[in-house]
Amino acid sequence: MQIRIALCDDETTCHETIKRLLKDYKQTVSLFSFELSCFSSGRELLDHIEDKGTFDLYILDIIMPDMNGIRLGSALRERYDGGIIIYLTSSPDFAVESYNTDALHYLLKPINGNRFSLCMDKAVSRLNHLRSETVSIKTPCSTRIVPIHNILYAERVNRSIRYYLNDHTTINSVSFCGTFRHAAAPLLAYSGFLAVGVSFVVNLYHVTEVTRSDMLLTGGYSIPVPRRTYEDVKSKWADYWLNKGDIHVI
């Protein structure tokens, strides 16, 4: 399993420290790989997300100029980004505030290697649980097993289903008989998926905004929302984020 990590810290020395700690940690979890992207400001990170999508894990320094880590974490949550957040800081004064962003953990600098490893264990365990749920997609050539977390949405295309994934690829299913809703039942069995109109099933985890005409998703995708269903769609999206409980304070 690959885990995409964003580190945001205005101190480049911290970038090198986290790279080293991750390299050491990788030796203990050979089944996982890590893709680390480093940013020096909150704005730089948010712009990257806007263009290329979200991360699985965010390691955020709290004390930064312009936008501190608490504000950055709040900005992520306001975009309904459910990525795991770990805070770094040299001061314990922000610990209570960090809880408001549903942070997984809070690490004091200088970062202790053992504590970092324990924190990563918790993050990896949480992500592994999220990705353990899969759906089987029968294609013209084979059968694909795809983690439901990776599916942004599914669209009816003639008599088949096209699945849009968070790595910007798509999978086309074999032709189906009956209704689209029946064919998409394996997705709709999960509470995080919602049928929108007659041609779409959307993963609410990846929805960043609901307007009167569209659902906006990470990666720049948008889904049309029928006017008559706007209030119901928006309500179900809000209920999902209110009750999902994926992140817990430790």
Side-chain angles (χ1 to χ4, degrees):
M1 178 175 76
Q2 184 179 66
I3 298 175
R4 298 180 67 241
I5 302 173
L7 167 65
C8 189
D9 194 310
D10 60 314
E11 298 177 355
T12 56
T13 54
C14 185
H15 295 188
E16 296 305 315
T17 298
I18 295 298
K19 288 178 184 177
R20 175 177 54 79
L21 290 173
L22 271 177
K23 184 178 180 179
D24 292 343
Y25 182 71
K26 175 65 175 65
Q27 304 304 314
T28 69
V29 286
S30 57
L31 295 179
F32 301 92
S33 62
F34 302 98
E35 179 184 301
L36 177 66
S37 299
C38 298
F39 304 90
S40 297
S41 72
R43 178 46 53 194
E44 183 185 359
L45 172 57
L46 293 176
D47 287 345
H48 180 94
I49 291 171
E50 195 71 28
D51 291 338
K52 299 185 178 180
T54 60
F55 291 85
D56 302 306
L57 172 62
Y58 297 94
I59 302 176
L60 310 178
D61 184 36
I62 288 184
I63 302 176
M64 295 188 292
D66 299 324
M67 179 184 292
N68 67 37
I70 299 297
R71 287 180 55 200
L72 176 56
S74 295
L76 293 172
R77 295 303 185 230
E78 286 168 6
R79 288 166 168 76
Y80 294 93
D81 189 324
I84 293 173
I85 293 177
I86 296 172
Y87 280 121
L88 307 174
T89 188
S90 56
S91 170
D93 296 341
F94 294 93
V96 174
E97 288 184 68
S98 71
Y99 297 160
N100 295 328
T101 57
D102 292 326
L104 175 73
H105 210 54
Y106 182 101
L107 291 173
L108 286 173
K109 295 180 178 179
I111 305 166
N112 176 279
N114 289 335
R115 290 183 180 178
F116 179 82
S117 293
L118 289 173
C119 191
M120 285 299 300
D121 282 343
K122 294 183 176 112
V124 167
S125 176
R126 187 69 48 79
L127 289 167
N128 194 38
H129 173 71
L130 285 172
R131 296 181 179 185
S132 64
E133 298 176 313
T134 61
V135 65
S136 174
I137 302 173
K138 190 173 183 180
T139 74
C141 300
S142 64
T143 298
R144 295 275 302 273
I145 305 299
V146 181
I148 62 168
H149 181 72
N150 292 356
I151 300 173
L152 299 174
Y153 67 98
E155 177 185 11
R156 174 178 178 163
V157 179
N158 297 319
R159 299 297 298 175
S160 67
I161 300 177
R162 179 170 297 160
Y163 297 83
Y164 293 78
L165 308 185
N166 59 359
D167 62 357
H168 297 284
T169 62
T170 60
I171 300 174
N172 293 318
S173 76
V174 296
S175 298
F176 63 83
C177 299
T179 66
F180 170 67
R181 182 180 287 268
H182 181 266
L187 287 184
L188 293 171
Y190 294 100
S191 61
F193 283 83
L194 176 69
V196 179
V198 296
S199 299
F200 296 94
V201 171
V202 180
N203 187 345
L204 297 176
Y205 179 88
H206 294 289
V207 175
T208 60
E209 184 179 354
V210 178
T211 72
R212 291 192 173 275
S213 59
D214 300 279
M215 296 182 87
L216 307 182
L217 288 80
T218 56
Y221 296 94
S222 65
I223 302 299
V225 175
R227 182 177 300 179
R228 68 183 183 280
T229 66
Y230 163 72
E231 293 294 343
D232 183 55
V233 167
K234 187 172 183 180
S235 175
K236 288 178 178 175
W237 174 58
D239 287 344
Y240 167 78
W241 281 103
L242 181 64
N243 299 312
K244 75 183 188 70
D246 283 339
I247 308 298
H248 301 278
V249 173
I250 295 176

